Amino acid sequence: MVEYAKGLQGVIAGESKIGFIDGEKGILAYLGYPIQTLAEHSTYEETAYLLLYGKLPSKKQLNEFDQKLKEARSLPKAVLDMMNLMPQTTHPMENLQTMVSALGSFSKNVSLLDRSIQLIAQFPVIIANRRRSRFKEKHISPDATLSHAANFLYMLTGKKPSPQTARMFDVCLILHAEHSFNASTFTGRVVASTLAPLHACISAAVGSLYGPLHGGANEKVLHAVQEIGDPKNARKWVMDKFSNKEKIMGMGHRVYKVKDPRAYILEDMLKKLSAEKKDTKIYDTLKEVENVVRNEMQKQGKSIWPNVDFFSGALYTLMNIPDELFTPVFAISRVSGWCAHIIEQLEDNRIYRPKCQYIGERQSTYVPISKR
């Protein structure tokens, strides 16, 4: 008998050279580069290149890669028309998944790497266009003078972001780009193992990310902040959650036993941006929730820390990104990691086929329908 691990907890399902995590020490690295180093010195474009090609680019290589991304910032008219036909109530993640599948029809006879570059470039365009069309606002064409991060904010709001805001958002994209065999990445690899096309794999990954236990958590965190209303209400809110045995989104992680290394960076940026905008209410509320949860859990001998979702939604709010786009923004970043993993999966592929421990009836007696 093979030992059963619910949710594949602790099971090694494959090998990868892309993302390294040490949950006990709070380490996250892409291809050996610590996330702190990349957040301080890199850009999303350079990080995406690193993930796809397995090495940092030269200046010429990065310029060529950046140019390819900018040239791919467009959507076929048929896809735009399809987007406009979607019901107004369609969640942006549902829209994104549908448009990714549709784009697969327009990306035939193109290399896997080029299709990956196209998708990385098209995700922000899909999300910004859908948001604007939903509210009957005119679509904004991409600006080739802007970076990947700055261009999304521009297409979304119609205003070019300040260099400081653009850089903060760029760092957010770097932090979310890769995280080993998380649910959505694993989903993409499983679908890729069947030799399905890239767009089918990415569409499946988007569907996995949509779930509130994965990418949707930061949206839930902000809803909690709105429910709390004021930092002084945080303790009662947390204690009520404990009494009702309800989960507090953004706190705790399946892998990290210490504070998520990405949370430190996001918290620092949120603190700075909150002070700059003279609006610290959300930050103060989150810190109070964190302190109450940690103190109460320590009384039970448990250590619970914020994860990447705890501060990211608040940071996006101060950047004027609506909460329904928090998970799509996650996808804008993570698509580079998904593509990298699918490329890696196909280099030494074997279809995923885990065992299932059957716990149902063994010898059911069939009764004819006339006698049931």
Side-chain angles (χ1 to χ4, degrees), residues 76-138:
K77 183 179 182 301
V79 172
L80 287 170
D81 291 342
M82 185 185 304
M83 191 184 303
N84 290 329
L85 292 173
M86 301 287 282
Q88 293 299 304
T89 54
T90 303
H91 191 281
M93 286 297 285
E94 295 173 320
N95 174 74
L96 178 62
Q97 187 173 31
T98 302
M99 295 310 116
V100 169
S101 295
L103 283 168
S105 301
F106 298 88
S107 189
K108 306 295 185 183
N109 302 317
V110 181
S111 73
L112 186 57
L113 268 171
D114 283 340
R115 275 179 282 159
S116 299
I117 293 169
Q118 287 175 355
L119 279 171
I120 293 169
Q122 290 167 334
F123 264 48
V125 181
I126 294 171
I127 293 162
N129 278 345
R130 174 56 185 173
R131 173 69 184 184
R132 295 189 69 82
S133 65
R134 185 178 179 189
F135 291 94
K136 310 297 184 184
E137 297 173 338
K138 184 180 178 181

Side-chain angles (χ1 to χ4, degrees), residues 233-270:
N233 301 328
R235 168 167 283 280
K236 181 180 185 306
W237 183 87
V238 170
M239 299 310 293
D240 287 345
K241 288 290 182 182
F242 282 163
S243 297
N244 297 326
K245 301 188 184 307
E246 295 179 54
K247 183 177 178 62
I248 297 177
M249 303 303 286
M251 293 296 295
H253 197 279
R254 281 282 292 274
V255 177
Y256 294 113
K257 306 307 177 188
V258 293
K259 192 167 182 175
D260 188 325
R262 300 166 297 177
Y264 283 107
I265 300 169
L266 289 166
E267 179 182 351
D268 184 59
M269 291 194 296
L270 175 59

Side-chain angles (χ1 to χ4, degrees), residues 120-168:
I120 293 169
Q122 290 167 334
F123 264 48
V125 181
I126 294 171
I127 293 162
N129 278 345
R130 174 56 185 173
R131 173 69 184 184
R132 295 189 69 82
S133 65
R134 185 178 179 189
F135 291 94
K136 310 297 184 184
E137 297 173 338
K138 184 180 178 181
H139 290 179
I140 296 174
S141 299
D143 187 331
T145 67
L146 296 177
S147 69
H148 193 73
N151 181 66
F152 170 70
L153 295 176
Y154 166 65
M155 291 188 68
L156 181 66
T157 66
K159 298 178 181 179
K160 293 183 179 181
S162 68
Q164 294 84 355
T165 299
R167 176 54 186 163
M168 282 188 179

Side-chain angles (χ1 to χ4, degrees), residues 53-98:
Y53 292 90
K55 62 179 181 179
L56 288 173
S58 66
K59 187 173 183 179
K60 179 183 177 183
Q61 289 170 328
L62 182 56
N63 287 338
E64 290 174 349
F65 182 72
D66 182 50
Q67 188 59 35
K68 281 187 175 183
L69 283 172
K70 289 176 176 176
E71 290 173 354
R73 289 176 182 171
S74 61
L75 299 174
K77 183 179 182 301
V79 172
L80 287 170
D81 291 342
M82 185 185 304
M83 191 184 303
N84 290 329
L85 292 173
M86 301 287 282
Q88 293 299 304
T89 54
T90 303
H91 191 281
M93 286 297 285
E94 295 173 320
N95 174 74
L96 178 62
Q97 187 173 31
T98 302

